[in-house]
């Protein structure tokens, strides 16, 4: 749920960011140029994340998390500048989700046949999403044994429903900007969360939940949970006024979200390449921590959780330092 929630939050914030710039006197043309520039920079940063530290051009992966965020950001920002109306965004959401289902269910996969008849529906290899990615970027896809270069979880065609995720966030941003009371807004968010979850789980009976393919049912379910989290946060901060110390971690991370993400992605590449010998065994920094700290936690689930929390805490340090110095790195 982390990735779609990030895309959802980006859609929410885009509404406020665009309206803020318009209020300060920026023209729509200026905002369009800045939006395209920001999307291009995010794509470049995404390629750096994929390739660091060795940058092997022969198998360089062009898709990725930041690239998907860039595509979604560009699409929904241009949509908002063109038609900042809820009905237009709702129409785009329906077209994106329904259209993606039609493409995957009713368009034959070249060389394989019709999904559900000639090949299993949503087969991991024989589906339209993976087929298109293999045609566009052979030898440059997500490398994962045993599906080496056969699929990509952030491929081109699955950007379509991912844009739907961002549109759900943008619709939420529009709702939050209305003049309704805080209790009414809270109730609306809660009802939207319940409705999205119900519809998503119902659709999953025919169009299964699948993150790698970012299925339409997954958009609705993940969006429902994002709305539920938004409801809780809005209720706590805006209605109850709980703005104390518990919010500072989120504020510090959120103030430099892309910088924190880049640090979290590049740091392992550095630590994995600091080699040394310990107890007669050749290892690296992360391997040493796993063998001498995490391995002593008997339950594998809690061990993984402890490692994740510890790594997040390490990534929080530079975000906290930047926030304390009022340094905000923006794309």
């Amino acid at each position: 749920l982390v990735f779609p929630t990030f895309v959802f939050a980006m859609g929410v914030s885009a509404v406020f960011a665009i309206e803020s710039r318009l209020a300060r006197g920026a023209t729509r043309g200026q905002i369009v140029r800045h939006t395209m520039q920001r999307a291009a920079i995010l794509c470049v940063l995404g390629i750096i994340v994929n390739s660091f530290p060795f940058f092997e051009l022969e198998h360089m992966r062009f898709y990725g998390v930041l690239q998907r965020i860039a595509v979604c950001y560009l699409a929904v920002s241009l949509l908002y500048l063109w038609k900042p109306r809820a009905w237009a965004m709702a129409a785009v959401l329906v077209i994106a989700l329904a259209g993606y289902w039609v493409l995957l269910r009713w368009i034959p996969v070249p060389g394989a046949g019709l999904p559900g008849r000639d090949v299993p529906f949503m087969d991991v290899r024989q589906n339209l999403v993976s087929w298109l990615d293999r045609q566009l970027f052979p030898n440059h896809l997500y490398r994962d044994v045993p599906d080496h270069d056969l699929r990509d979880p952030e491929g081109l065609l699955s950007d379509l429903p991912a844009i739907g995720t961002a549109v759900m966030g943008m619709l939420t941003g529009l709702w939050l900007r209305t003049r309704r009371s805080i209790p009414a807004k809270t109730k609306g968010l809660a009802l939207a969360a319940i409705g999205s979850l119900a519809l998503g789980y119902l659709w999953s009976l025919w169009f299964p939940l699948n993150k790698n393919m970012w299925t339409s049912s997954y958009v609705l379910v993940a969006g429902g949970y994002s709305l539920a989290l938004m409801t809780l946060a809005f209720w706590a901060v805006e209605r109850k006024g709980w703005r104390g110390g518990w919010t500072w971690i989120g504020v510090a991370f959120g103030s430099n979200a892309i910088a924190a993400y880049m640090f979290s992605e590049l740091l392992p590449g550095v630590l994995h390449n600091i080699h040394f010998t310990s107890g007669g065994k050749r290892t690296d920094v992360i391997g040493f921590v796993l063998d001498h700290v995490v391995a002593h936690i008997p339950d594998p689930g809690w061990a993984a959780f402890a490692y994740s929390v510890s790594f997040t805490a390490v990534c929080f340090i530079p975000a906290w330092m930047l926030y304390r110095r009022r340094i905000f790195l923006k794309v």
Side-chain angles (χ1 to χ4, degrees), residues 47-225:
I47 293 175
I48 292 174
V49 164
N50 291 346
S51 306
F52 183 84
F54 299 113
F55 296 92
E56 298 176 354
L57 296 179
E58 185 179 0
H59 295 290
M60 180 176 287
R61 181 182 174 221
F62 301 112
Y63 294 138
V65 170
L66 291 181
Q67 293 91 318
R68 169 152 293 176
I69 292 174
V71 170
C72 293
Y73 168 74
L74 178 62
V76 299
S77 296
L78 294 179
L79 171 63
Y80 188 84
L81 289 167
W82 172 66
K83 188 72 71 174
R85 296 290 184 268
W87 66 265
M89 295 178 193
V92 169
L93 176 61
V94 172
I95 292 171
L97 300 190
Y100 189 60
W101 175 72
V102 170
L103 288 172
L104 264 61
R105 181 64 183 85
W106 300 109
I107 302 300
V109 180
L114 185 67
R117 186 190 68 186
D118 306 314
V119 64
F121 180 41
M122 291 175 56
D123 181 84
V124 67
R125 293 175 177 82
Q126 301 298 339
N127 63 77
L128 194 63
V129 178
S130 298
W131 175 85
L132 180 60
D133 290 339
R134 290 195 296 270
Q135 309 313 305
L136 294 174
F137 295 116
N139 302 314
H140 292 278
L141 302 179
Y142 185 77
R143 304 178 69 176
D144 185 21
V145 176
D147 301 325
H148 176 65
D149 269 358
L150 291 174
R151 60 177 177 82
D152 199 294
E154 284 87 45
L156 180 64
L157 192 59
S158 54
D159 279 335
L160 179 62
I163 290 171
T165 300
V167 170
M168 288 184 69
M170 191 158 271
L171 284 167
T172 303
L174 282 175
W175 174 255
L176 293 176
R177 279 184 51 84
T178 63
R179 296 183 179 181
R180 291 176 175 83
S181 66
I182 290 178
K185 290 180 181 180
T186 305
K187 183 179 180 181
L189 290 172
L191 290 175
I194 294 171
S196 185
L197 287 169
L199 185 58
Y201 278 120
L202 179 63
W203 200 356
S204 71
L205 299 176
W206 298 274
F207 197 8
L209 302 174
N210 188 297
K211 178 182 183 294
N212 284 337
M213 294 178 68
W214 211 282
T215 56
S216 302
S217 58
Y218 170 75
V219 169
L220 293 173
V221 170
Y225 284 117

Side-chain angles (χ1 to χ4, degrees), residues 269-276 283-285:
V270 174
L271 299 181
H272 273 305
N273 285 282
I274 301 177
H275 300 284
F276 56 91
T283 186
D284 56 64
V285 175

Side-chain angles (χ1 to χ4, degrees), residues 32-50:
V32 168
R33 287 192 295 274
H34 182 254
T35 298
M36 296 178 70
Q37 175 185 322
R38 175 177 286 182
I41 293 174
L42 284 173
C43 286
V44 172
L45 292 177
I47 293 175
I48 292 174
V49 164
N50 291 346

